[in-house]
Protein backbone atom coordinates (compact mmCIF):
# COMPACT_ATOMS: atom_id res chain seq x y z
CA UNK A 1 0.00 0.00 0.00
CA UNK A 2 1.59 3.18 -1.20
CA UNK A 3 2.12 5.77 1.51
CA UNK A 4 0.90 3.43 4.18
CA UNK A 5 2.93 2.79 7.28
CA UNK A 6 4.45 -0.65 7.37
CA UNK A 7 2.64 -1.53 10.57
CA UNK A 8 -0.66 -0.49 9.05
CA UNK A 9 0.01 -2.75 6.08
CA UNK A 10 0.91 -5.60 8.43
CA UNK A 11 -2.37 -5.09 10.25
CA UNK A 12 -4.35 -5.34 7.03
CA UNK A 13 -2.44 -8.47 6.09
CA UNK A 14 -2.98 -9.97 9.56
CA UNK A 15 -6.70 -9.22 9.39
CA UNK A 16 -6.94 -10.87 6.03
CA UNK A 17 -5.05 -13.96 7.17
CA UNK A 18 -7.30 -14.33 10.19
CA UNK A 19 -10.37 -13.95 7.99
CA UNK A 20 -8.91 -16.44 5.53
CA UNK A 21 -8.86 -19.18 8.17
CA UNK A 22 -12.66 -19.16 7.94
CA UNK A 23 -13.01 -18.63 4.20
CA UNK A 24 -10.44 -21.08 2.84
CA UNK A 25 -10.02 -24.77 3.43
CA UNK A 26 -6.46 -24.41 2.08
CA UNK A 27 -4.32 -21.55 0.84
CA UNK A 28 -0.67 -21.76 -0.23
CA UNK A 29 1.45 -19.08 -1.82
CA UNK A 30 4.59 -19.16 -3.94
CA UNK A 31 6.81 -16.45 -5.36
CA UNK A 32 8.26 -16.83 -8.86
CA UNK A 33 11.23 -14.89 -10.26
CA UNK A 34 9.06 -13.52 -13.07
CA UNK A 35 5.29 -13.34 -13.43
CA UNK A 36 3.44 -15.88 -15.58
CA UNK A 37 0.23 -15.55 -17.58
CA UNK A 38 0.01 -19.26 -18.32
CA UNK A 39 -0.93 -21.97 -15.83
CA UNK A 40 -1.52 -25.39 -17.33
CA UNK A 41 -2.17 -28.68 -15.53
CA UNK A 42 0.30 -31.41 -16.47
CA UNK A 43 -1.16 -33.85 -13.90
CA UNK A 44 -3.63 -33.54 -11.03
CA UNK A 45 -0.79 -32.31 -8.81
CA UNK A 46 1.49 -30.31 -11.10
CA UNK A 47 1.31 -27.33 -13.43
CA UNK A 48 3.49 -25.81 -16.12
CA UNK A 49 4.13 -22.05 -16.01
CA UNK A 50 6.39 -19.67 -17.97
CA UNK A 51 7.37 -16.00 -17.92
CA UNK A 52 6.32 -13.38 -20.45
CA UNK A 53 9.13 -10.81 -20.32
CA UNK A 54 10.48 -9.78 -23.71
CA UNK A 55 13.77 -11.74 -23.56
CA UNK A 56 14.66 -14.96 -21.75
CA UNK A 57 12.12 -16.60 -19.46
CA UNK A 58 11.93 -19.61 -17.22
CA UNK A 59 9.54 -22.36 -18.18
CA UNK A 60 8.91 -24.82 -15.39
CA UNK A 61 6.81 -27.60 -14.03
CA UNK A 62 5.76 -26.95 -10.43
CA UNK A 63 4.53 -29.60 -8.04
CA UNK A 64 1.80 -28.33 -5.69
CA UNK A 65 2.35 -28.58 -1.92
CA UNK A 66 1.95 -32.24 -0.83
CA UNK A 67 0.01 -31.07 2.25
CA UNK A 68 -2.80 -29.94 -0.05
CA UNK A 69 -3.46 -33.51 -1.12
CA UNK A 70 -2.74 -35.26 2.19
CA UNK A 71 -6.17 -36.62 3.02
CA UNK A 72 -6.17 -38.35 6.37
CA UNK A 73 -3.09 -37.07 8.10
CA UNK A 74 -3.21 -33.51 6.87
CA UNK A 75 -2.06 -32.17 10.23
CA UNK A 76 0.95 -34.48 10.14
CA UNK A 77 2.02 -33.62 6.64
CA UNK A 78 4.66 -30.93 6.95
CA UNK A 79 5.37 -30.35 3.28
CA UNK A 80 3.67 -27.08 2.50
CA UNK A 81 5.90 -25.81 -0.29
CA UNK A 82 5.57 -25.72 -4.02
CA UNK A 83 8.52 -27.50 -5.65
CA UNK A 84 10.12 -26.99 -9.06
CA UNK A 85 10.36 -30.45 -10.63
CA UNK A 86 11.51 -29.56 -14.15
CA UNK A 87 12.77 -26.32 -15.66
CA UNK A 88 14.25 -24.72 -18.74
CA UNK A 89 14.70 -21.41 -20.52
CA UNK A 90 12.80 -19.88 -23.42
CA UNK A 91 14.22 -17.37 -25.90
CA UNK A 92 11.14 -15.15 -25.80
CA UNK A 93 7.91 -14.50 -23.93
CA UNK A 94 5.28 -17.19 -23.43
CA UNK A 95 1.77 -15.91 -24.09
CA UNK A 96 0.00 -19.21 -24.60
CA UNK A 97 0.91 -22.70 -23.35
CA UNK A 98 -0.90 -26.04 -23.71
CA UNK A 99 -0.09 -29.46 -22.35
CA UNK A 100 -0.84 -32.26 -24.80
CA UNK A 101 -2.95 -34.86 -22.99
CA UNK A 102 -1.33 -38.28 -22.71
CA UNK A 103 2.19 -36.96 -23.35
CA UNK A 104 4.97 -35.13 -21.53
CA UNK A 105 4.94 -32.36 -24.14
CA UNK A 106 3.77 -28.77 -24.03
CA UNK A 107 3.44 -26.32 -26.92
CA UNK A 108 3.86 -22.57 -26.56
CA UNK A 109 3.43 -19.38 -28.56
CA UNK A 110 5.35 -16.15 -28.01
CA UNK A 111 2.61 -13.70 -29.00
CA UNK A 112 4.72 -12.38 -31.91
CA UNK A 113 4.40 -14.93 -34.69
CA UNK A 114 1.96 -17.72 -35.38
CA UNK A 115 4.63 -20.45 -35.02
CA UNK A 116 4.57 -22.77 -32.02
CA UNK A 117 7.44 -24.12 -29.93
CA UNK A 118 7.34 -27.75 -28.78
CA UNK A 119 8.88 -28.72 -25.42
CA UNK A 120 9.61 -32.01 -23.73
CA UNK A 121 9.08 -31.72 -19.97
CA UNK A 122 11.62 -34.43 -19.20
CA UNK A 123 13.70 -36.87 -21.13
CA UNK A 124 16.57 -39.29 -20.51
CA UNK A 125 16.39 -38.92 -16.71
CA UNK A 126 16.96 -35.19 -16.95
CA UNK A 127 15.27 -32.37 -15.03
CA UNK A 128 15.60 -30.03 -17.97
CA UNK A 129 12.66 -28.89 -20.08
CA UNK A 130 14.03 -29.06 -23.60
CA UNK A 131 12.85 -27.45 -26.82
CA UNK A 132 12.36 -30.34 -29.24
CA UNK A 133 10.82 -28.69 -32.28
CA UNK A 134 8.38 -26.25 -33.71
CA UNK A 135 5.13 -26.17 -35.66
CA UNK A 136 4.60 -23.67 -38.40
CA UNK A 137 1.60 -21.36 -38.29
CA UNK A 138 -0.35 -20.24 -41.34
CA UNK A 139 0.63 -16.55 -41.03
CA UNK A 140 4.06 -15.02 -40.60
CA UNK A 141 3.46 -12.18 -38.19
CA UNK A 142 0.36 -12.12 -36.07
CA UNK A 143 -0.46 -9.41 -33.64
CA UNK A 144 -1.52 -10.89 -30.35
CA UNK A 145 -0.16 -14.31 -31.25
CA UNK A 146 -1.78 -17.70 -31.62
CA UNK A 147 -4.36 -19.47 -29.52
CA UNK A 148 -3.79 -23.18 -28.93
CA UNK A 149 -5.92 -26.24 -28.12
CA UNK A 150 -4.56 -29.77 -27.90
CA UNK A 151 -5.96 -33.25 -27.78
CA UNK A 152 -4.86 -36.83 -28.15
CA UNK A 153 -7.21 -38.47 -30.61
CA UNK A 154 -6.68 -42.10 -31.71
CA UNK A 155 -3.34 -41.94 -29.87
CA UNK A 156 -2.21 -39.21 -32.28
CA UNK A 157 -1.35 -35.98 -30.46
CA UNK A 158 -2.94 -33.09 -32.37
CA UNK A 159 -2.59 -29.35 -31.95
CA UNK A 160 -5.15 -26.79 -33.08
CA UNK A 161 -3.69 -23.32 -33.50
CA UNK A 162 -4.27 -19.96 -35.14
CA UNK A 163 -4.31 -16.22 -34.52
CA UNK A 164 -7.41 -15.27 -36.50
CA UNK A 165 -10.48 -17.11 -37.73
CA UNK A 166 -8.94 -17.38 -41.21
CA UNK A 167 -5.74 -19.21 -40.24
CA UNK A 168 -6.88 -21.94 -37.84
CA UNK A 169 -5.18 -25.25 -38.53
CA UNK A 170 -5.10 -28.70 -36.93
CA UNK A 171 -1.55 -30.10 -37.04
CA UNK A 172 -0.23 -33.51 -36.14
CA UNK A 173 2.37 -33.01 -33.42
CA UNK A 174 4.93 -35.62 -34.39
CA UNK A 175 4.98 -35.09 -38.15
CA UNK A 176 3.98 -31.41 -38.35
CA UNK A 177 1.49 -32.51 -41.02
CA UNK A 178 -1.58 -30.27 -41.41
CA UNK A 179 -4.73 -32.36 -40.85
CA UNK A 180 -7.40 -29.69 -41.27
CA UNK A 181 -7.70 -26.01 -42.15
CA UNK A 182 -10.60 -23.78 -41.19
CA UNK A 183 -11.89 -21.84 -44.21
CA UNK A 184 -13.62 -18.55 -43.39
CA UNK A 185 -14.13 -15.38 -45.33
CA UNK A 186 -13.20 -12.92 -42.57
CA UNK A 187 -10.05 -12.77 -40.47
CA UNK A 188 -11.13 -11.85 -36.95
CA UNK A 189 -8.64 -12.09 -34.07
CA UNK A 190 -9.34 -15.11 -31.86
CA UNK A 191 -9.83 -15.05 -28.11
CA UNK A 192 -9.67 -18.85 -27.77
CA UNK A 193 -9.71 -22.26 -29.44
CA UNK A 194 -11.32 -25.19 -27.70
CA UNK A 195 -12.34 -28.78 -28.44
CA UNK A 196 -15.80 -29.73 -27.15
CA UNK A 197 -15.57 -33.32 -28.46
CA UNK A 198 -13.04 -35.44 -30.41
CA UNK A 199 -14.03 -33.88 -33.71
CA UNK A 200 -15.79 -30.60 -32.90
CA UNK A 201 -14.00 -27.42 -31.93
CA UNK A 202 -14.94 -23.80 -31.28
CA UNK A 203 -12.96 -20.88 -32.67
CA UNK A 204 -14.10 -17.91 -30.57
CA UNK A 205 -13.51 -14.46 -32.00
CA UNK A 206 -12.78 -11.31 -30.01
CA UNK A 207 -15.89 -9.73 -31.57
CA UNK A 208 -18.07 -12.33 -29.81
CA UNK A 209 -18.90 -14.63 -32.71
CA UNK A 210 -17.96 -18.30 -32.58
CA UNK A 211 -17.23 -20.73 -35.42
CA UNK A 212 -18.37 -24.27 -34.64
CA UNK A 213 -16.52 -26.78 -36.76
CA UNK A 214 -16.71 -30.55 -37.16
CA UNK A 215 -13.45 -31.70 -38.74
CA UNK A 216 -15.08 -34.89 -40.08
CA UNK A 217 -17.49 -32.88 -42.22
CA UNK A 218 -16.36 -30.76 -45.12
CA UNK A 219 -19.29 -28.33 -44.80
CA UNK A 220 -18.64 -24.71 -43.91
CA UNK A 221 -18.40 -24.00 -40.17
CA UNK A 222 -21.54 -22.94 -38.34
CA UNK A 223 -21.42 -19.33 -37.15
CA UNK A 224 -22.78 -18.69 -33.66
CA UNK A 225 -23.70 -14.98 -33.56
CA UNK A 226 -22.22 -12.46 -31.11
CA UNK A 227 -24.35 -11.49 -28.08
CA UNK A 228 -27.16 -9.11 -29.03
CA UNK A 229 -25.84 -6.47 -26.65
CA UNK A 230 -22.50 -6.30 -28.46
CA UNK A 231 -21.33 -2.86 -29.57
CA UNK A 232 -18.61 -2.22 -32.13
CA UNK A 233 -15.82 -1.77 -29.63
CA UNK A 234 -16.84 -4.57 -27.29
CA UNK A 235 -14.36 -7.43 -26.90
CA UNK A 236 -15.47 -10.90 -25.77
CA UNK A 237 -13.82 -13.87 -24.05
CA UNK A 238 -15.41 -17.29 -24.29
CA UNK A 239 -15.38 -20.63 -22.48
CA UNK A 240 -17.43 -23.74 -23.21
CA UNK A 241 -18.21 -26.74 -21.04
CA UNK A 242 -17.01 -30.08 -22.40
CA UNK A 243 -19.43 -32.48 -24.10
CA UNK A 244 -21.22 -31.64 -27.29
CA UNK A 245 -24.73 -32.62 -26.21
CA UNK A 246 -24.83 -30.45 -23.10
CA UNK A 247 -22.40 -27.74 -24.12
CA UNK A 248 -22.96 -24.36 -22.51
CA UNK A 249 -21.11 -21.27 -23.61
CA UNK A 250 -20.17 -18.34 -21.42
CA UNK A 251 -19.08 -15.06 -22.99
CA UNK A 252 -17.61 -12.20 -20.95
CA UNK A 253 -17.33 -8.69 -22.39
CA UNK A 254 -14.77 -5.95 -21.87
CA UNK A 255 -17.57 -4.05 -20.06
CA UNK A 256 -18.07 -6.84 -17.54
CA UNK A 257 -21.23 -8.28 -19.05
CA UNK A 258 -21.72 -12.04 -19.15
CA UNK A 259 -23.95 -14.10 -21.42
CA UNK A 260 -24.59 -17.81 -21.04
CA UNK A 261 -26.00 -19.63 -24.07
CA UNK A 262 -26.69 -23.12 -25.29
CA UNK A 263 -24.46 -24.38 -28.10
CA UNK A 264 -27.27 -26.41 -29.71
CA UNK A 265 -29.55 -23.35 -29.89
CA UNK A 266 -27.62 -20.51 -31.52
CA UNK A 267 -30.75 -18.64 -32.55
CA UNK A 268 -32.42 -18.71 -29.16
CA UNK A 269 -30.28 -16.00 -27.64
CA UNK A 270 -29.02 -15.89 -24.09
CA UNK A 271 -30.11 -18.40 -21.47
CA UNK A 272 -29.00 -15.93 -18.85
CA UNK A 273 -27.21 -12.60 -18.55
CA UNK A 274 -25.54 -10.54 -15.86
CA UNK A 275 -23.55 -7.40 -15.28
CA UNK A 276 -20.63 -8.35 -13.03
CA UNK A 277 -19.45 -6.28 -10.11
CA UNK A 278 -16.09 -5.24 -11.59
CA UNK A 279 -14.15 -2.14 -12.62
CA UNK A 280 -13.29 -2.25 -16.30
CA UNK A 281 -11.31 0.98 -16.74
CA UNK A 282 -7.65 0.20 -16.20
CA UNK A 283 -7.33 -3.38 -17.22
CA UNK A 284 -4.94 -4.96 -19.70
CA UNK A 285 -7.17 -7.06 -21.94
CA UNK A 286 -4.42 -9.70 -22.32
CA UNK A 287 -5.08 -10.83 -18.78
CA UNK A 288 -8.84 -11.39 -18.90
CA UNK A 289 -9.92 -14.97 -18.20
CA UNK A 290 -13.36 -16.54 -17.83
CA UNK A 291 -13.81 -20.24 -17.10
CA UNK A 292 -16.50 -22.76 -16.20
CA UNK A 293 -15.89 -24.81 -13.08
CA UNK A 294 -15.29 -28.40 -14.21
CA UNK A 295 -17.14 -29.94 -11.25
CA UNK A 296 -19.62 -27.38 -9.84
CA UNK A 297 -22.35 -27.03 -12.43
CA UNK A 298 -22.95 -23.40 -13.48
CA UNK A 299 -20.07 -21.87 -11.52
CA UNK A 300 -17.72 -19.51 -13.36
CA UNK A 301 -14.50 -17.77 -12.38
CA UNK A 302 -13.48 -14.38 -13.76
CA UNK A 303 -10.12 -12.58 -13.45
CA UNK A 304 -7.93 -9.97 -15.11
CA UNK A 305 -9.97 -6.84 -14.37
CA UNK A 306 -7.92 -6.16 -11.25
CA UNK A 307 -6.18 -7.90 -8.38
CA UNK A 308 -8.87 -10.45 -7.57
CA UNK A 309 -10.43 -13.66 -8.86
CA UNK A 310 -14.22 -13.75 -8.58
CA UNK A 311 -16.51 -16.78 -8.47
CA UNK A 312 -20.16 -16.56 -9.58
CA UNK A 313 -23.00 -19.09 -9.66
CA UNK A 314 -24.58 -18.44 -13.07
CA UNK A 315 -27.54 -20.76 -12.30
CA UNK A 316 -29.22 -17.97 -10.37
CA UNK A 317 -29.25 -15.60 -13.39
CA UNK A 318 -32.22 -15.10 -15.77
CA UNK A 319 -32.44 -13.97 -19.37
CA UNK A 320 -33.03 -10.32 -18.36
CA UNK A 321 -29.82 -8.46 -17.58
CA UNK A 322 -29.24 -8.09 -13.85
CA UNK A 323 -26.41 -7.05 -11.58
CA UNK A 324 -24.55 -9.95 -10.04
CA UNK A 325 -22.47 -10.09 -6.89
CA UNK A 326 -19.66 -12.63 -6.62
CA UNK A 327 -20.24 -15.60 -4.37
CA UNK A 328 -16.58 -15.57 -3.46
CA UNK A 329 -13.63 -13.30 -4.16
CA UNK A 330 -9.98 -14.31 -3.83
CA UNK A 331 -8.27 -11.09 -2.73
CA UNK A 332 -5.02 -12.75 -1.69
CA UNK A 333 -2.83 -11.38 -4.48
CA UNK A 334 -3.75 -7.74 -3.92
CA UNK A 335 -3.80 -7.98 -0.11
CA UNK A 336 -0.33 -9.50 0.15
CA UNK A 337 1.24 -7.20 -2.43
CA UNK A 338 3.00 -4.08 -1.17
CA UNK A 339 2.13 -2.11 -4.29
CA UNK A 340 -1.61 -1.74 -4.65
CA UNK A 341 -1.34 0.24 -7.84
CA UNK A 342 -1.34 -1.96 -10.85
CA UNK A 343 -1.35 -5.46 -9.41
CA UNK A 344 -3.37 -7.63 -11.76
CA UNK A 345 -4.28 -11.27 -11.75
CA UNK A 346 -2.72 -12.62 -14.95
CA UNK A 347 -4.35 -16.05 -15.05
CA UNK A 348 -6.40 -18.61 -13.14
CA UNK A 349 -7.35 -22.26 -13.60
CA UNK A 350 -9.73 -24.61 -11.79
CA UNK A 351 -8.44 -27.97 -10.59
CA UNK A 352 -9.90 -30.56 -12.98
CA UNK A 353 -11.36 -32.70 -10.15
CA UNK A 354 -11.30 -30.90 -6.79
CA UNK A 355 -14.52 -28.84 -6.90
CA UNK A 356 -13.39 -25.58 -5.26
CA UNK A 357 -9.65 -25.60 -5.81
CA UNK A 358 -8.09 -22.97 -8.10
CA UNK A 359 -4.65 -21.72 -8.98
CA UNK A 360 -4.04 -18.09 -9.79
CA UNK A 361 -1.04 -15.95 -10.73
CA UNK A 362 -0.51 -12.21 -10.59
CA UNK A 363 1.70 -9.51 -12.08
CA UNK A 364 3.80 -9.35 -8.87
CA UNK A 365 5.03 -12.92 -9.65
CA UNK A 366 2.89 -14.54 -6.98
CA UNK A 367 1.19 -17.91 -7.52
CA UNK A 368 -1.57 -19.05 -5.15
CA UNK A 369 -3.40 -22.33 -4.84
CA UNK A 370 -6.61 -22.04 -2.85
CA UNK A 371 -9.55 -24.19 -1.88
CA UNK A 372 -12.39 -21.88 -0.87
CA UNK A 373 -15.35 -22.53 1.34
CA UNK A 374 -18.71 -21.88 -0.31
CA UNK A 375 -20.61 -19.44 1.91
CA UNK A 376 -23.89 -20.72 0.44
CA UNK A 377 -23.21 -24.31 1.52
CA UNK A 378 -23.82 -24.56 5.25
CA UNK A 379 -21.63 -27.56 6.11
CA UNK A 380 -18.64 -25.78 4.63
CA UNK A 381 -18.00 -28.30 1.87
C1 LIG B 1 -17.36 -10.73 -36.21
O1 LIG B 1 -16.79 -11.87 -36.78
C2 LIG B 1 -17.63 -12.59 -37.65
C3 LIG B 1 -16.94 -13.86 -37.97
O2 LIG B 1 -15.69 -13.69 -38.47
C4 LIG B 1 -17.93 -11.75 -38.85
O3 LIG B 1 -18.69 -12.48 -39.78
C5 LIG B 1 -18.70 -10.56 -38.36
O4 LIG B 1 -18.95 -9.68 -39.42
C6 LIG B 1 -17.99 -9.82 -37.23
N1 LIG B 1 -19.02 -9.06 -36.56
C7 LIG B 1 -18.86 -7.81 -36.21
C8 LIG B 1 -20.00 -7.19 -35.46
O5 LIG B 1 -17.84 -7.18 -36.43
C1 LIG C 1 -26.31 -22.39 -7.79
O1 LIG C 1 -27.56 -21.78 -7.69
C2 LIG C 1 -28.65 -22.65 -7.99
C3 LIG C 1 -29.92 -21.82 -8.06
O2 LIG C 1 -30.09 -21.05 -6.90
C4 LIG C 1 -28.71 -23.71 -6.91
O3 LIG C 1 -29.82 -24.58 -7.13
C5 LIG C 1 -27.43 -24.51 -7.01
O4 LIG C 1 -27.39 -25.48 -5.99
C6 LIG C 1 -26.22 -23.61 -6.88
N1 LIG C 1 -25.09 -24.39 -7.28
C7 LIG C 1 -24.25 -24.93 -6.42
C8 LIG C 1 -23.18 -25.78 -7.01
O5 LIG C 1 -24.31 -24.75 -5.23
Amino acid sequence: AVGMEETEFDDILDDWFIESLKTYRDLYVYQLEQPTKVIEWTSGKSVCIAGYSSSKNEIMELCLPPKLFADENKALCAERDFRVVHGGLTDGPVHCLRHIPGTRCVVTNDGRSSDLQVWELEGDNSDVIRRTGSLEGRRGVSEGGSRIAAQCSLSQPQVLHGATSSDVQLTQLTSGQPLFKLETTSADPLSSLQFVSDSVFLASCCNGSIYITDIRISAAPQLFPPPASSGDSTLWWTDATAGLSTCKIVRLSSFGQVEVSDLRNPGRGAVSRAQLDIQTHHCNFDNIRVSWAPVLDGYIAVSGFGGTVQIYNSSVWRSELQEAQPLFEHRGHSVSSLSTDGITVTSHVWHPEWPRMLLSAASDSSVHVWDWIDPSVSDGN
Side-chain angles (χ1 to χ4, degrees), residues 296-297 299 313 315-316 356 374 376-377:
L296 299 170
D297 188 35
Y299 275 40
N313 178 358
S315 311
V316 302
R356 292 181 185 79
D374 194 333
S376 72
V377 177

Side-chain angles (χ1 to χ4, degrees), residues 19-230:
E19 186 199 313
S20 75
L21 296 175
K22 287 180 288 191
T23 48
Y24 294 88
R25 181 181 293 273
D26 274 305
L27 171 65
Y28 297 97
V29 307
Y30 188 70
Q31 196 66 27
L32 301 167
E33 298 275 318
Q34 301 160 311
T36 180
K37 56 174 70 186
V38 293
I39 312 174
E40 178 81 348
W41 293 103
T42 52
S43 77
K45 294 179 179 180
S46 58
V47 291
C48 192
I49 56 116
Y52 56 89
S53 76
S54 57
S55 55
K56 283 206 183 308
N57 288 282
E58 279 188 308
I59 176 167
M60 52 197 191
E61 189 176 27
L62 282 181
C63 206
L64 304 193
K67 193 178 171 94
L68 195 59
F69 300 101
D71 247 353
E72 276 134 44
N73 294 320
K74 214 172 178 74
L76 298 178
C77 178
E79 291 179 80
R80 22 180 323 122
D81 289 327
F82 283 80
R83 195 164 52 85
V84 178
V85 278
H86 299 101
L89 280 177
T90 71
D91 285 333
V94 175
H95 280 261
C96 193
L97 182 153
R98 289 279 167 254
H99 172 238
I100 301 178
T103 73
R104 291 290 288 154
C105 284
V106 297
V107 285
T108 60
N109 176 260
D110 61 8
R112 296 164 172 166
S113 93
S114 65
D115 294 345
L116 307 185
Q117 297 77 46
V118 183
W119 304 84
E120 187 107 33
L121 292 178
E122 67 197 300
D124 307 331
N125 303 322
S126 137
D127 296 345
V128 179
I129 299 181
R130 267 188 331 121
R131 169 108 183 252
T132 55
S134 55
L135 298 176
E136 212 173 302
R138 280 169 76 186
R139 293 160 67 114
V141 188
S142 66
E143 211 176 316
S146 287
R147 309 295 168 217
I148 311 171
Q151 71 171 1
C152 205
S153 166
L154 304 167
S155 78
Q156 298 271 31
Q158 301 174 342
V159 182
L160 183 70
H161 52 111
T164 72
S165 53
S166 67
D167 56 66
V168 174
Q169 174 177 307
L170 184 67
T171 307
Q172 200 191 325
L173 176 72
T174 38
S175 64
Q177 192 104 30
L179 301 168
F180 178 87
K181 287 180 181 178
L182 182 63
E183 302 297 342
T184 63
T185 46
S186 66
D188 293 296
L190 294 178
S191 62
S192 65
L193 288 170
Q194 188 177 357
F195 283 101
V196 289
S197 77
D198 281 353
S199 63
V200 177
F201 70 82
L202 308 184
S204 306
C205 302
C206 295
N207 80 5
S209 54
I210 303 172
Y211 288 100
I212 306 164
T213 307
D214 190 330
I215 55 174
R216 294 168 309 183
I217 297 167
S218 60
Q222 194 188 349
L223 188 61
F224 198 89
S229 59
S230 193

Side-chain angles (χ1 to χ4, degrees), residues 303-381:
S303 69
F305 287 103
T308 71
V309 184
Q310 296 183 329
I311 312 282
Y312 293 87
N313 178 358
S314 74
S315 311
V316 302
W317 302 339
R318 311 271 155 68
S319 55
E320 314 85 58
L321 186 67
Q322 68 215 283
E323 305 224 332
Q325 292 300 318
L327 195 68
F328 188 84
E329 187 164 43
H330 178 61
R331 297 190 293 115
H333 294 285
S334 54
V335 169
S336 58
S337 172
L338 275 164
S339 88
T340 47
D341 48 18
I343 183 173
T344 310
V345 171
T346 49
S347 194
H348 76 255
V349 285
W350 293 86
H351 190 278
E353 285 139 32
W354 291 58
R356 292 181 185 79
M357 190 184 290
L358 290 96
L359 250 93
S360 51
S363 53
D364 66 346
S365 309
S366 56
V367 174
H368 293 179
V369 59
W370 37 285
D371 194 356
W372 52 288
I373 294 170
D374 194 333
S376 72
V377 177
S378 52
D379 67 358
N381 274 306

